[in-house]
Amino acid sequence: MKNWIYSSLIILILSGCGKKTPPPDVTPVATNLVSPLKDQPCTTGTVISADKSTVAFTWEAADKADGYILAIKNLLTKIETKQTVASTQATADLLRNTPYSWYVISTSTKTKATAQSDTWKFYNAGTGVISFPPYPAEITAPIFGDNVTASTGNVILKWTGSTLGAAIKGYDIYFSNTSSPTLFKSNVSDSQYQVSVKSGTTYYWRIVTIDVAGNYTDSGVYQFSVK
């Protein structure tokens, strides 16, 4: 009789464990950006000085998010700033006549997991701007600090370019094994170029984007090592 009672209790306990409801998913989803618009050429904001203006940022409410982190990057200096906000809007004082990119991270107090939106670019206009310089080239490969394997002693440098104003005329490639790379190839029309490298060497490179109006921007110096 006792064995039967014990067996019944075990069955009930196991049955109860099997019916547990999994915890709800509290991971926030990525938001959709609203403004400044993607690739907007003439964001002005509220002018506060000859050099700066206050720009308003807005985005949609994200499911399961109760907070956000707004990230804004100066594409010329490569400096990125972040601010934590509880609503779907924020403002920032930015340099005029300067290209920026921005994105928003959705957060929740219920989890450490986050979700990041797409990244949009815009140009914070200045006084009397007739033509906008191209965006600085985005280095895609090798990425900064990468340790690559050279195929037959060669590595392909890759980047992407974009512009709001005049069409891109070409790219100047600065490349060497010194921290201040020298001009390696000028007026390259493609967005990639193959270079010869040696194993055990660190290389430095940057891309200068030039448009048909004579405007130019610098990607900044990147580096990679060859295994």
Side-chain angles (χ1 to χ4, degrees):
M1 183 66 177
K2 289 183 178 180
N3 290 337
W4 180 84
I5 293 174
Y6 291 149
S7 298
S8 300
L9 288 173
I10 293 173
I11 292 173
L12 288 173
I13 293 172
L14 291 176
S15 299
C17 292
K19 294 180 180 179
K20 284 185 177 179
T21 303
D25 183 9
V26 295
T27 304
V29 302
T31 182
N32 294 316
L33 305 182
V34 177
S35 65
L37 296 175
K38 183 179 181 181
D39 293 332
Q40 186 169 345
C42 197
T43 298
T44 56
T46 302
V47 176
I48 56 178
S49 71
D51 301 323
K52 288 186 177 182
S53 63
T54 300
V55 177
F57 295 82
T58 59
W59 55 93
E60 296 179 359
D63 188 29
K64 301 173 185 175
D66 53 29
Y68 304 92
I69 299 173
L70 169 63
I72 307 170
K73 184 177 183 179
N74 183 318
L75 295 179
L76 298 181
T77 64
K78 311 302 180 184
I79 296 176
E80 182 177 88
T81 60
K82 293 182 178 180
Q83 57 174 297
T84 301
V85 294
S87 64
T88 57
Q89 58 185 5
T91 60
D93 294 341
L94 304 179
L95 293 173
R96 303 174 69 189
N97 198 27
T98 303
Y100 287 90
S101 66
W102 71 290
Y103 61 89
V104 174
I105 300 173
S106 303
T107 63
S108 172
T109 54
K110 299 178 181 179
T111 177
K112 293 182 179 180
T114 60
Q116 182 174 314
S117 71
D118 293 335
T119 299
W120 283 6
K121 298 176 183 177
F122 68 94
Y123 199 94
N124 194 30
T127 304
V129 175
I130 298 176
S131 63
F132 298 94
Y135 285 123
E138 293 184 21
I139 303 301
T140 56
I143 60 175
F144 190 91
D146 205 359
N147 194 16
V148 303
T149 299
S151 176
T152 64
N154 297 310
V155 167
I156 297 178
L157 307 178
K158 297 181 180 181
W159 62 92
T160 58
S162 57
T163 180
L164 288 173
I168 294 175
K169 178 182 179 182
Y171 305 95
D172 287 351
I173 302 174
Y174 289 75
F175 175 79
S176 68
N177 58 1
T178 62
S179 58
S180 298
T182 55
L183 181 62
F184 180 80
K185 185 71 175 180
S186 61
N187 200 28
V188 175
S189 59
D190 203 354
S191 57
Q192 65 178 41
Y193 198 83
Q194 180 173 282
V195 293
S196 298
V197 295
K198 295 181 180 180
S199 299
T201 305
T202 298
Y203 291 92
Y204 302 83
W205 65 298
R206 62 187 178 96
I207 300 295
V208 173
T209 307
I210 307 169
D211 66 19
V212 295
N215 301 310
Y216 64 91
T217 52
D218 194 323
S219 69
V221 177
Y222 285 70
Q223 69 178 68
F224 66 91
S225 300
V226 182
K227 297 179 181 178

